[in-house]
Amino acid sequence: MFRSFIYLDEDKLYTYKRQIDGKNNVQPKAVSQKKTAGFSAAVSGFGLNGATETSIDGEFEKDVSFDYDHFELDLSRLEGEDYFDCVLNAEYDLTTIPAMKLLRICSGFEIPEAFDAVNLIDQFMPMLMGQIETKSAGEQEALEGILGKASADIPFIIECDDVAISGKLNAKHLREEYANLEDYADQDVYILCKVVGMVRRDIVEIFDPLKDFIRLPRTIRRQMTADGKAVGLDKISVEGPVLKVEVVAIYK
């Protein structure tokens, strides 16, 4: 299979792969052998002979594309139980797939336009922090403690007939630039994900900048709202019901 990955969470891939295989298939980079002096009773005359000592050099490496191909092949054995391939079996009802099951679909996906402002702030956060004046070292430390760990996972939405699918993409697992993701609103790609659960509400929140970007505790978030709305950056919501998922891979 000649895949080009748009997004790949290798940690999830190898975690789920080990659960299926029941073992770790990662191989060492290099194996070397050398002779060492030693006593060998198996040799006639009980002479001293060289024994072979094996050592492993380097860290462990993996062939991600090869491993992913085998991972999806192994998943096919779990079809209808722990894995639901909606690409090959269009009769599956997305609203009835249980949580903690893996799901594969073929569809376009969209990054809400409202998130572009958050992404821009995220990119320029180091520069913005340097421009903010504080009155004391304590205030500066508090500011760095709050904004220094700000990191925005990217929300996405897939519109299906009876339900929307939504999740967040960790930017460190992207294989393409953020700006290129808008191309996939009108282009079908393959998405492998784990089902988190169904949210059956008329309006479903998929991104809260105070929680998902600045990562403030709940108590502080409540103090920074007016009439139930966040002050500053807006929350992103969509019409429900929404199937929440965690993405393993997106490829074309």
Side-chain angles (χ1 to χ4, degrees):
M1 180 68 68
F2 302 102
R3 293 183 176 89
S4 296
F5 287 106
I6 300 165
Y7 179 92
L8 179 61
D9 186 332
E10 293 187 22
D11 291 338
K12 285 189 174 69
L13 165 62
Y14 282 99
T15 295
Y16 300 152
K17 189 175 189 305
R18 282 193 295 270
Q19 291 177 9
I20 295 175
D21 296 343
K23 61 181 180 180
N24 190 341
N25 293 324
V26 180
Q27 299 297 320
K29 282 186 177 179
V31 177
S32 61
Q33 294 182 336
K34 63 181 179 180
K35 291 286 187 178
T36 58
F39 179 77
S40 176
V43 179
S44 176
F46 301 98
L48 291 175
N49 292 278
T52 301
E53 180 182 280
T54 301
S55 64
I56 299 177
D57 300 323
E59 299 175 352
F60 287 87
E61 67 178 5
K62 45 189 174 278
D63 185 333
V64 175
S65 296
F66 177 83
D67 290 340
Y68 188 88
D69 287 346
H70 279 263
F71 175 60
E72 280 205 354
L73 287 174
D74 289 339
L75 280 177
S76 64
R77 296 188 283 106
L78 308 176
E79 180 70 40
E81 298 179 2
D82 291 314
Y83 174 58
F84 295 83
D85 190 343
C86 294
V87 178
L88 301 179
N89 299 282
E91 70 274 11
Y92 285 134
D93 182 352
L94 292 175
T95 64
T96 63
I97 296 178
M100 297 189 293
K101 307 298 183 180
L102 291 181
L103 167 71
R104 189 172 78 121
I105 60 175
C106 181
S107 175
F109 66 93
E110 185 174 359
I111 309 300
E113 188 174 346
F115 181 76
D116 289 348
V118 177
N119 182 69
L120 188 63
I121 294 172
D122 192 24
Q123 298 301 312
F124 286 93
M125 182 62 75
M127 184 181 70
L128 293 173
M129 288 182 60
Q131 298 297 318
I132 299 176
E133 295 184 1
T134 54
K135 298 180 180 179
S136 66
E139 286 187 3
Q140 182 65 28
E141 184 177 349
L143 177 67
E144 292 176 354
I146 294 174
L147 298 183
K149 61 183 179 182
S151 177
D153 289 341
I154 304 165
F156 69 89
I157 190 74
I158 300 171
E159 296 289 352
C160 301
D161 292 336
D162 301 319
V163 64
I165 301 174
S166 182
K168 297 184 181 74
L169 305 176
N170 190 319
K172 72 179 183 180
H173 301 313
L174 282 175
R175 301 294 183 92
E176 294 192 9
E177 296 294 329
Y178 172 81
N180 294 337
L181 297 182
E182 66 182 57
D183 296 339
Y184 299 110
D186 303 315
Q187 178 181 338
D188 284 348
V189 292
Y190 296 92
I191 304 171
L192 180 71
C193 52
K194 186 182 81 169
V195 174
V196 174
M198 179 71 66
V199 182
R200 300 182 184 276
R201 292 200 295 267
D202 292 338
I203 300 297
V204 179
E205 178 186 298
I206 64 170
F207 184 82
D208 180 349
L210 297 184
K211 179 180 69 175
D212 300 320
F213 175 39
I214 304 179
R215 306 183 189 279
L216 294 175
R218 184 183 305 177
T219 302
I220 298 179
R221 295 202 307 269
R222 287 173 175 169
Q223 295 173 357
M224 296 180 65
T225 60
D227 299 326
K229 296 182 179 181
V231 177
L233 296 171
D234 294 330
K235 296 180 180 180
I236 300 176
S237 301
V238 297
E239 293 185 2
V242 173
L243 182 67
K244 293 286 188 80
V245 300
E246 293 179 354
V247 175
V248 179
I250 303 175
Y251 59 88
K252 56 187 176 181

